[in-house]
Amino acid sequence: MTSTSTPPGLTRFNALEEHAAFAALHEACASTAWARRLLAARPYPTVDTLYAASDAAMAELTTADLEEAMAGHPPIGRPKEGDPTSAREQRGMAGASEDLKAEMLELNLAYQDRFGHVFLICATGRTGEQMRDAVKERIGNSPEQEREIVRTELGKINRIRLARLVEED
């Protein structure tokens, strides 16, 4: 989404009281540092400036900030009950076979044992098989490699969630 004018949804976001804007940002990404950085840079003249601020804030997150952000994400294949965002983003696992769901659970646990956090991937538009293949590929990474992949994946997720936040009613 590239824009040169301020869409109504972004105007609405810019006008929110600080606590409401912080809550909306924190719902998009559980990192307090990320949300505070984006909040401090308001108002945003365009969606692209919001995305750029998000990318810059993501690049500056510490390991602890990344851990806080990841804690807001449920394991792939087990979206948070009653959370439409989680269910929508993990739609690719919804129709997966019981065998694939069981395999994904096993891989999630192995990944979590290795890295100490959930397997995080921008699941939007991916099939269950693609997510399974990604965890199989990434489980061999070093913790440092994986942290940077997670940072990239979080950035993608944040852009999708920000787009939903500022889209028109």
Side-chain angles (χ1 to χ4, degrees):
M1 171 196 260
T2 301
S3 172
T4 55
S5 65
T6 307
L10 182 57
T11 300
R12 185 179 58 248
F13 170 72
N14 283 333
L16 287 174
E17 289 189 29
E18 189 166 331
H19 72 279
F22 178 83
L25 289 169
H26 201 259
E27 191 170 313
C29 179
S31 167
T32 301
W34 177 86
R36 283 188 179 140
R37 284 185 179 104
L38 266 68
L39 188 60
R42 284 191 317 158
Y44 294 98
T46 66
V47 173
D48 287 341
T49 58
L50 174 63
Y51 291 160
S54 174
D55 293 346
M58 185 57 57
E60 294 173 11
L61 293 185
T62 65
T63 298
D65 295 332
L66 283 172
E67 288 170 2
E68 181 184 29
M70 286 184 286
H73 291 267
I76 296 293
R78 295 193 320 243
K80 288 182 206 167
E81 203 165 310
D83 179 1
T85 299
S86 179
R88 180 181 55 253
E89 290 173 350
Q90 293 194 28
R91 192 174 311 140
M93 285 300 295
S97 69
E98 291 307 311
D99 287 346
L100 179 57
K101 287 178 182 178
E103 183 181 12
M104 199 64 196
L105 174 60
E106 194 175 301
L107 288 166
N108 273 324
L109 292 171
Y111 179 96
Q112 194 157 352
D113 283 346
R114 173 154 168 68
F115 295 108
H117 57 79
V118 298
F119 171 68
L120 192 108
I121 189 167
C122 183
T124 301
R126 292 182 188 251
T127 66
E129 291 82 3
Q130 289 171 323
M131 289 183 267
R132 177 206 53 213
D133 294 348
V135 71
K136 282 181 171 181
E137 179 182 310
R138 287 173 46 191
I139 204 161
N141 288 340
S142 71
E144 296 76 20
Q145 288 172 309
E146 195 55 23
R147 188 170 33 256
E148 291 313 307
I149 292 170
V150 164
R151 185 184 304 274
T152 299
E153 294 299 311
L154 273 168
K156 292 176 192 176
I157 293 165
N158 290 354
R159 276 181 172 243
I160 290 167
R161 290 179 176 186
L162 287 171
R164 291 187 62 79
L165 176 67
V166 300
E167 70 187 9
E168 293 183 29
D169 288 11

